[in-house]
Amino acid sequence: MTGPASVRHLIDGEWLPGGGDALVSVNPARPTVVVAEGSCAVASDVDAAVGAAAAAAPSWAATGMHQRGARLLAAAEIVERNAERWGLELATEEGKTRAEAVGEVRRAAQILRYYGNEGDRQAGEIYSSPRPGEQILVTRKPLGVVGVVTPFNFPIAIPAWKIAPALVYGNTVVWKPASTVPLLALRFAEALTDAGLPPGVLNLVVGGADIGDAIVNHPGIDGITFTGSTGVGRRIAAAAAARGVPAQAEMGGKNAAVVLDDADLDLAVEQVLLGAFRSTGQKCTATSRLIVTAGIADAFSEALLAQARALRVGDPVDDATQMGPVVSDSAQQSITAGIDTAVTQGATVLTGGRPYQDGALAQGYFVAPTVVELGAAPVDVWTDELFGPVLAIRRATDAEEAFALANDSEFGLSAAVFTQDMTRALQAVERIDVGVLHVNSESAGADPHVPFGGAKKSGLGPKEQGGAAREFFTHTTTVYLRGGRAGS
Ligand code: UN1
């Protein structure tokens, strides 16, 4: 890349500089390198953005679903065409490896294509009526202006899977991305405007928590979709409820992988490593707990540790790198503090756990791939999300105990179970209380056409993706449909 990109805000089709505090996004592998800079938005920018979105809403809602979808399909082509370049920028700004970053950009294109084709799918339902000569039709209407608040860890895929359905169902959008990843937000908004989205339909305001609050509390916002921490998600949902508008909050996870005695050992090791350390563990679906049954525990731990120790940690744009840095200084500090607390509380560090002392890894926001073993005593690392490359292992005597330990969390986003026994797999489906369950694959991953979201305290409101997205981004009108009196 040449110099830092310049951060702008998109309001009513105009790219504006913003009048707030300085905003600087750095490369987490080399924090002296600035990736993007500019100024944060201020509350009056949010007012203008909501005003523009409200003004654009009636004509966008009146535009046919196929025509709205066509804009998304055009944006998908732009995103796909730029996948290599934007992937490199994403890796540089967020810290996931280049291969993962390019994959994420392609995934955003796939999501745009999925929702771009929504016009070809079912748009409502029809019921028969108890009264002769009548039918009952259930149609869908947009909510209006939707506030979209997105996290740093998927800087383009998560915005795509919120903004694409919001738009195709006829809503207009005011979007605040995480201030650590403004560059990819600019790229995504550019793709949509270059695809011919009318002014005001998508508005982008970049800033910190104050801008998020200004959106969430704005009287012109008709619905809010959020992905991020549990604390913020609950506050947003409460604020939305107080104003009487719907909210969708995807929040924390403390996702377990359960490895049973009869598992395919090599497959399980490979998948647990991917689940725990891909994206440097910074996914709400990452594997952060591992439960392994007694018969396979020693062999599994030995193989897992050998591979965890061999992981190549480094600059994400180097193709040999398997794990990059975490996103920021504060993320590095809180993850490191979480590991220290675990040790104080009795966890045994099996690998990692210590800060890098010298060289490039000490300069950047790196955290070593860390595996700790726990006994039965309560330890925070078992219950609290660290959002980093830290895996906590517990041993179970049998499958029953393993399933119980998997459920031993207030969260219930995703889980993985490794077994070759169909009966055990079916028991896992029944017992493990999560929104997403993987049998013989890692705990992360989501396809655009199926519901995504958590059980228990991992989510609030309707799920995301596929048909579930329509539940959130529309409301229904039940139409009792009868003709006039025949012959009169
Ligand atoms: C995935 O597992 O690939 O914030 C997607 C997150 C989730 C998305 C996970 N909302 O990590």
Side-chain angles (χ1 to χ4, degrees):
M1 273 188 291
T2 44
S6 152
V7 175
R8 292 276 185 278
H9 312 270
L10 176 64
I11 298 173
D12 205 11
E14 304 280 334
W15 288 98
L16 304 172
D21 294 344
L23 179 79
V24 180
S25 142
V26 300
N27 176 342
R30 301 159 189 275
T32 52
V33 176
V34 175
V35 176
E37 63 187 337
S39 301
C40 290
V42 290
S44 60
D45 294 323
V46 173
D47 277 339
V50 175
S59 68
W60 183 244
T63 305
M65 180 93 83
H66 280 95
Q67 286 69 36
R68 293 194 298 256
R71 304 274 73 82
L72 300 190
L73 293 172
E77 267 184 44
I78 297 170
V79 172
E80 187 77 57
R81 205 183 316 129
N82 286 289
E84 290 291 336
R85 194 160 62 86
W86 295 357
L88 181 62
E89 290 178 344
L90 197 165
T92 309
E93 186 172 56
E94 194 268 352
K96 67 180 65 173
T97 65
R98 177 147 72 138
E100 286 182 75
V102 172
E104 184 189 330
V105 178
R106 296 225 154 89
R107 185 171 174 181
Q110 180 199 13
I111 294 162
L112 286 165
R113 276 195 295 271
Y114 173 80
Y115 287 106
N117 287 309
E118 184 62 8
D120 295 345
R121 300 191 193 101
Q122 182 190 344
E125 296 108 53
I126 187 155
Y127 293 84
S128 49
S129 167
R131 291 161 292 280
E134 185 177 83
Q135 300 188 21
I136 306 173
L137 185 71
V138 180
T139 62
R140 300 265 172 181
K141 301 212 173 99
L143 298 176
V145 180
V146 174
V148 173
V149 179
T150 54
F152 76 83
N153 64 331
F154 285 92
I156 191 163
I158 289 180
W161 78 52
K162 291 178 183 298
I163 292 170
L167 295 178
V168 85
Y169 294 124
N171 301 282
T172 57
V173 168
V174 177
W175 170 33
K176 189 201 92 69
S179 56
T180 36
V181 289
L183 179 54
L184 264 287
L186 297 179
R187 298 295 182 239
F188 188 59
E190 278 165 11
L192 282 157
T193 50
D194 291 353
L197 212 60
V201 171
L202 171 67
N203 302 275
L204 169 69
V205 280
V206 188
D210 57 322
I211 295 301
D213 286 344
I215 294 174
V216 167
N217 296 315
H218 200 289
I221 293 283
D222 302 308
I224 298 153
T225 175
F226 165 82
T227 294
S229 73
T230 303
V232 175
R234 287 184 187 168
R235 272 204 293 117
I236 287 179
R243 289 206 302 107
V245 300
Q248 176 187 54
E250 285 303 330
M251 304 180 291
K254 195 72 207 181
N255 312 300
V258 174
V259 179
L260 299 181
D261 282 356
D262 70 313
D264 174 334
L265 186 103
D266 293 345
L267 172 79
V269 168
E270 171 200 279
Q271 294 294 310
V272 168
L273 279 169
L274 294 176
F277 301 125
R278 249 207 302 216
S279 290
T280 323
Q282 299 175 113
K283 293 183 190 178
C284 61
T285 46
T287 304
S288 52
R289 299 186 298 142
L290 172 66
I291 299 140
V292 56
T293 47
I296 195 173
D298 288 338
F300 186 85
S301 293
E302 191 184 320
L304 180 84
L305 290 174
Q307 293 196 31
R309 290 183 185 121
L311 277 176
R312 283 188 298 271
V313 179
D315 192 325
V317 306
D318 175 350
D319 285 335
T321 294
Q322 292 170 299
M323 195 182 97
V326 296
V327 70
S328 65
D329 189 19
S330 66
Q332 185 190 38
Q333 284 174 27
S334 72
I335 298 161
T336 307
I339 298 168
D340 292 346
T341 304
V343 172
T344 314
Q345 293 175 333
T348 309
V349 175
L350 303 180
T351 186
R354 276 194 310 273
Y356 293 106
Q357 297 298 346
D358 38 46
L361 295 182
Q363 305 301 311
Y365 304 137
F366 289 93
V367 176
T370 298
V371 180
V372 300
E373 178 143 7
L374 311 182
V379 178
D380 293 352
V381 74
W382 182 253
T383 47
D384 299 353
E385 188 178 42
L386 287 186
F387 222 66
V390 182
L391 180 65
I393 307 188
R394 278 184 70 171
R395 295 181 181 221
T397 47
D398 55 19
E400 280 306 314
E401 191 192 357
F403 296 152
L405 284 172
N407 283 334
D408 178 28
S409 172
E410 65 170 8
F411 297 117
L413 182 53
S414 70
V417 60
F418 295 89
T419 179
Q420 303 190 81
D421 178 334
M422 172 70 104
T423 307
R424 288 287 185 219
L426 288 172
Q427 275 172 354
V429 172
E430 208 141 275
R431 304 272 166 82
I432 303 182
D433 199 9
V434 286
V436 180
L437 179 67
H438 290 259
V439 179
N440 293 318
S441 60
E442 60 150 314
S443 62
D447 284 321
H449 63 300
V450 292
F452 175 85
K456 292 153 81 176
K457 292 184 176 165
S458 288
L460 282 168
K463 294 196 171 177
E464 300 188 286
Q465 313 262 54
R470 194 172 68 171
E471 290 303 316
F472 179 69
F473 288 107
T474 61
H475 69 86
T476 56
T477 301
T478 304
V479 183
Y480 291 86
L481 192 64
R482 204 190 284 189
R485 281 201 194 86
S488 64

